[in-house]
Amino acid sequence: AQKITQTQPGMFVQEKEAVTLDCTYDTSDPSYGLFWYKQPSSGEMIFLIYQGSYDQQNATEGRYSLNFQKARKSANLVISASQLGDSAMYFCAMREGGGGGSNYKLTFGKGTLLTVNP
Amino acid sequence: DAGITQSPRHKVTETGTPVTLRCHQTENHRYMYWYRQDPGHGLRLIHYSYGVKDTDKGEVSDGYSVSRSKTEDFLLTLESATSSQTSVYFCAIRGQGDDIQYFGAGTRLSVL
């Protein structure tokens, strides 16, 4: 079974509107972390936002927020006020086990290609 | 900027030849990772390192080896390149006490 599932291969949004990119995860570990990365057409991987499994509040970073629903095992990325520069591939990822100083690996989803239309 | 440099950035090679990709970091990070990215697969972990001479396998390690003889360099070697190893390779680092992995710019490898 896939550990990270991104069900939307592609999404379209109008400039200045909000968009939600879906991510569901599968783990039995009580300690885990969820990440979103952006990959523009230039190819680099850019870290956007992080949510720990024990965090009480949803993470926010500027126009990015992570809608964390633990019981549903979902970690959707919400981008508010979309901009043309938000057009990119977006990846959801998870680490299982203790974070901080302990060793861990990231498992990535297959990504969602977001296109922002003017 | 996490101070990560990958070299080369692009390489074309022939089947059966050895290839080494280098990841260099300037900020003394303990943890380093090698991923490959293929269409329809996202990023998949090849090998990772948690210190000098301490390495372990990831999800897709067959056909790859790594070495880390000093903190700043993590080398990925394809002993005998195959066409299935045509991919984009990313190196990443993570600092002690930090949950975030930061990526290098990637190396595009074509095996003909």
Side-chain angles (χ1 to χ4, degrees):
Chain A
Q2 287 187 6
K3 288 182 177 286
I4 294 288
T5 302
Q6 295 182 253
T7 57
Q8 306 152 316
M11 287 282 287
F12 292 88
V13 65
Q14 287 298 123
E15 194 178 7
K16 300 180 184 177
E17 293 184 351
V19 63
T20 297
L21 306 184
D22 293 343
C23 173
T24 58
Y25 59 92
D26 182 25
T27 181
S28 57
D29 199 317
S31 176
Y32 55 91
L34 297 154
F35 305 76
W36 279 92
Y37 287 85
K38 173 184 178 181
Q39 187 177 42
S41 58
S42 53
E44 69 265 36
M45 292 288 291
I46 302 167
F47 165 73
L48 294 178
I49 196 166
Y50 165 78
Q51 179 88 39
S53 59
Y54 295 119
D55 293 343
Q56 295 297 312
Q57 294 189 325
N58 287 346
T60 60
E61 291 285 349
R63 294 186 298 111
Y64 304 108
S65 60
L66 200 153
N67 184 1
F68 181 44
Q69 298 189 42
K70 198 169 184 176
R72 296 181 60 188
K73 294 189 175 181
S74 74
N76 298 339
L77 177 70
V78 180
I79 305 174
S80 63
S82 297
Q83 302 172 355
L84 296 178
D86 294 333
S87 293
M89 183 72 82
Y90 289 81
F91 291 97
C92 180
M94 176 176 66
R95 63 110 177 123
E96 295 173 277
S102 63
N103 200 3
Y104 78 83
K105 298 169 276 189
L106 282 183
T107 302
F108 283 81
K110 296 183 179 182
T112 295
L113 181 61
L114 176 67
T115 302
V116 180
N117 293 318
Chain B
D1 184 358
I4 308 166
T5 305
Q6 291 187 232
S7 58
R9 292 294 315 281
H10 303 272
K11 186 170 182 66
V12 180
T13 191
E14 294 185 348
T15 299
T17 60
V19 176
T20 296
L21 308 183
R22 180 186 185 224
C23 180
H24 178 77
Q25 54 122 340
T26 58
E27 298 182 3
N28 209 35
H29 296 290
R30 177 181 175 188
Y31 299 98
M32 299 184 76
Y33 305 80
W34 276 108
Y35 293 88
R36 62 177 288 174
Q37 182 178 25
D38 304 291
H41 287 279
L43 276 77
R44 293 179 292 174
L45 182 66
I46 306 171
H47 281 280
Y48 64 101
S49 170
Y50 45 97
V52 173
K53 297 185 178 170
D54 291 323
T55 64
D56 205 350
K57 296 179 180 179
E59 178 188 357
V60 289
S61 60
D62 287 349
Y64 301 95
S65 62
V66 289
S67 65
R68 193 167 179 201
S69 58
K70 46 187 178 178
T71 299
E72 57 265 36
D73 289 326
F74 191 32
L75 304 180
L76 177 70
T77 297
L78 291 65
E79 299 290 348
S80 177
T82 68
S83 58
S84 65
Q85 293 176 311
T86 292
S87 188
V88 179
Y89 292 85
F90 284 98
C91 174
I93 59 91
R94 179 172 72 92
Q96 185 84 10
D98 186 346
D99 263 359
I100 312 303
Q101 287 189 21
Y102 298 94
F103 287 79
T107 294
R108 186 172 295 274
L109 176 67
S110 296
V111 183
L112 305 179

